Amino acid sequence: MSASIARQGTEVRLAVFRLSRRLRLEKSDGELSDTQFGVLAVLNRFGPHTLSALAERERVTAPSMNRTVNYLQERGYLRRDADAEDRRRSNIVITDAGSAVVRETIAKRDAWLTSRIRKLPADQRAVLVEAAEILGRLATE
């Protein structure tokens, strides 16, 4: 029985990986890496971060995050604002252009997935809704 469950786990992992990889292709700025888009998405959702907090959140080194932030700043997707309390520190803030990239990318990904789901029979769509709920619980455990 355990081998069967392990096989099921492998199948779910592979399917989620393939779907995730396919969805990542749908973005409004094809020049951005997944990491760069991830930084924009974090700033868009959670607001300004210091470089070290952003590096910690994304589980990368500060020098690596600095390169990512520099690239995104050069493209006009974010800026560095001096911290009001500690002028030696800066906060990384998403710009309107960066927020637009996040919104447009999410819209493209949702549209791509919706177009595929729409082609499925109702019973399979219902299974997907249930699977999404289960996968969401697995991800938070």
Side-chain angles (χ1 to χ4, degrees):
M1 171 103 106
S2 130
S4 174
I5 292 173
R7 230 181 354 267
Q8 291 170 349
T10 298
E11 289 175 19
V12 169
R13 178 183 53 77
L14 289 172
V16 168
F17 177 77
R18 283 191 305 267
L19 179 60
S20 177
R21 185 173 48 190
R22 180 57 188 87
L23 282 169
R24 284 193 308 266
L25 294 174
E26 299 297 319
K27 49 187 159 184
S28 65
D29 182 338
E31 303 278 318
L32 292 181
S33 70
D34 293 338
T35 300
Q36 292 160 345
F37 178 77
V39 167
L40 290 177
V42 163
L43 293 172
N44 193 64
R45 182 169 182 192
F46 298 107
H49 280 60
T50 62
L51 185 72
S52 58
L54 200 51
E56 184 177 322
R57 179 179 213 115
E58 295 298 296
R59 294 186 172 111
V60 298
T61 65
S64 175
M65 183 53 69
N66 193 49
R67 285 188 297 276
T68 299
V69 166
N70 286 341
Y71 177 81
L72 293 169
Q73 187 173 12
E74 288 169 12
R75 294 188 67 96
Y77 293 150
L78 53 79
R79 67 178 192 273
R80 296 176 196 244
D81 290 349
D83 188 88
E85 295 176 14
D86 184 350
R87 304 298 283 175
R88 296 170 294 175
R89 195 171 66 185
S90 62
N91 293 304
I92 313 300
V93 181
I94 194 166
T95 63
D96 289 343
S99 291
V101 166
V102 173
R103 278 191 316 276
E104 291 164 12
T105 296
I106 289 170
K108 282 185 79 161
R109 290 175 177 177
D110 285 350
W112 180 87
L113 190 54
T114 298
S115 73
R116 281 14 180 227
I117 291 172
R118 187 171 281 128
K119 297 175 185 174
L120 297 173
D123 60 325
Q124 289 182 354
R125 289 194 308 267
V127 169
L128 273 181
V129 168
E130 189 174 346
E133 182 182 311
I134 294 166
L135 290 170
R137 281 198 314 263
L138 286 176
T140 60
E141 289 179 355

